[in-house]
Amino acid sequence: RPRWPSRITPRLVSRLRQYVLVICENYRTVPYHDVEHAYHVFLSANKLLDLLLREGGRRRAGPTFGIKSDPLAQLAFLFSALVHDVDHRGISNRQLVLESDDLAILYNDQSVAEQRSLAVAFAVWMMPEYGVLRGVLFDEDAALEEKKKDDDRNRNREEHFKFRKLVIDLVLVTDIASPERTQIVKSKWKEAFGEVILTANLNQRKGTKRGGGSGGGGGGNDGDRDQDRNREMETDKRNERERNQGPIERRRGHGGEAPANNTRERRRHR
């Protein structure tokens, strides 16, 4: 049985448009986090997704880390861009916490503005009038039928749960003032693009050295550049290992037990 409707009905388009309008209306008139900002972010997200999924032409196809084959992740990405700052007060999380604002109390001082935007977005999303949208995306109506099999029912719940989790993670990660979330972003970014960034940095250094040298000089040989690149990669790996080690393992890694071993060796020779 096909999961998607045979055609997009006018009623479906009307409900989708209504949801977008309601979200836009809930953006406040503040200096930065207003509906115009949401519009810019959504267009940028759509363009990034288009570049990521595009094939052919001059652009060489690259890894998409599972996004290309996951339409639910694509939807969550764009949905998050639309709702990420809805009902933002125009005040930083830190200031809301310092002033003991009602939202800071409600969300326990944790990513206050982002938590509020998520609450508003999903409160609207779960309204009865948007059941047709949820039905198309997650087959919600069919899942409620008694004749529906348990595995299908569970699958639909899991898809909606996955969608919510993706949106929550994407919006919360926009809280750049949170050191924990910033570190998660850095580690994920490095895991996905570390090799590309490292190569670009090395190329930039080579260009700087070449530009600062004498007119007749070259830019160094490939062997030296490879060695520099390998040394930097090894340093990054070593630092990552040390961050994941406990204090005891870190002391051992730096030779903390070496003096005791050397003393026993000298006693044995005596």
Side-chain angles (χ1 to χ4, degrees):
R1 187 177 58 82
R3 293 296 317 282
W4 300 97
S6 58
R7 65 188 181 94
I8 304 299
T9 64
R11 181 166 176 256
L12 180 65
V13 174
S14 174
R15 288 294 181 266
L16 177 60
R17 181 175 296 175
Q18 180 182 347
Y19 180 81
V20 173
L21 287 175
V22 170
I23 292 297
C24 290
E25 289 171 356
N26 275 276
Y27 272 86
R28 297 178 180 235
T29 305
V30 292
Y32 181 78
H33 302 91
D34 55 6
V35 69
E36 186 175 351
H37 168 68
Y39 175 74
H40 291 160
V41 172
F42 185 87
L43 285 184
S44 298
N46 185 66
K47 183 63 176 179
L48 286 172
L49 191 60
D50 179 63
L51 290 173
L52 188 65
L53 303 179
R54 185 183 302 171
E55 294 182 349
R58 297 180 180 179
R59 183 178 177 272
R60 182 170 59 88
T64 65
F65 304 98
I67 296 178
K68 182 177 180 180
S69 59
D70 191 349
L72 198 62
Q74 299 170 27
L75 172 66
F77 182 58
L78 296 178
F79 186 94
S80 303
L82 172 67
V83 307
H84 80 283
D85 271 335
V86 64
D87 200 33
H88 198 291
R89 305 288 180 86
I91 303 173
S92 68
N93 287 334
R94 175 176 172 78
Q95 192 61 34
L96 291 172
V97 171
L98 290 175
E99 295 177 1
S100 295
D101 187 87
D102 290 344
L103 290 182
I105 302 300
L106 179 62
Y107 299 116
N108 299 315
D109 299 343
Q110 301 297 314
S111 302
V112 179
E114 292 76 18
Q115 298 256 30
R116 177 60 181 171
S117 296
L118 286 166
V120 171
F122 280 111
V124 177
W125 175 251
M126 296 305 296
M127 288 180 175
E129 53 263 44
Y130 303 111
V132 62
L133 288 176
R134 299 193 302 271
V136 168
L137 294 171
F138 310 108
D139 209 9
E140 187 178 81
D141 295 335
L144 296 176
E145 296 176 4
E146 292 183 2
K147 64 181 180 180
K148 195 69 176 172
K149 294 181 179 179
D150 290 340
D151 56 347
D152 288 339
R153 225 177 2 246
N154 293 333
R155 180 194 62 202
N156 296 323
R157 291 197 190 103
E158 289 172 2
E159 287 185 349
H160 191 263
F161 178 80
K162 176 186 176 182
F163 171 74
R164 259 183 57 82
K165 186 177 186 306
L166 285 170
V167 173
I168 290 170
D169 288 343
L170 285 166
V171 173
L172 288 181
V173 86
T174 63
D175 181 11
I176 59 176
S178 170
E180 294 83 6
R181 298 195 182 281
T182 302
Q183 185 58 43
I184 292 173
V185 172
K186 287 182 178 179
S187 63
K188 293 293 185 182
W189 184 271
K190 187 174 181 180
E191 180 182 350
F193 306 108
E195 185 73 17
V196 177
I197 295 173
L198 182 58
T199 302
N201 289 340
L202 289 172
N203 289 336
Q204 185 178 13
R205 292 177 186 176
K206 288 186 293 184
T208 302
K209 291 179 181 179
R210 191 178 298 115
S214 59
N221 58 64
D222 292 337
D224 292 338
R225 288 195 293 269
D226 290 340
Q227 289 180 4
D228 291 340
R229 183 166 172 266
N230 290 334
R231 277 196 296 269
E232 190 161 343
M233 290 180 65
E234 287 299 324
T235 301
D236 289 341
K237 291 179 181 179
R238 185 168 59 252
N239 292 338
E240 187 69 25
R241 285 196 300 268
E242 290 180 357
R243 280 195 296 269
N244 295 329
Q245 287 177 347
I248 297 177
E249 290 82 355
R250 193 177 295 116
R251 286 198 297 270
R252 288 175 179 172
H254 287 286
E257 295 184 354
N261 293 337
N262 291 338
T263 302
R264 287 196 295 268
E265 189 67 24
R266 285 196 298 271
R267 288 175 179 172
R268 191 179 298 111
H269 283 296
R270 287 178 185 174

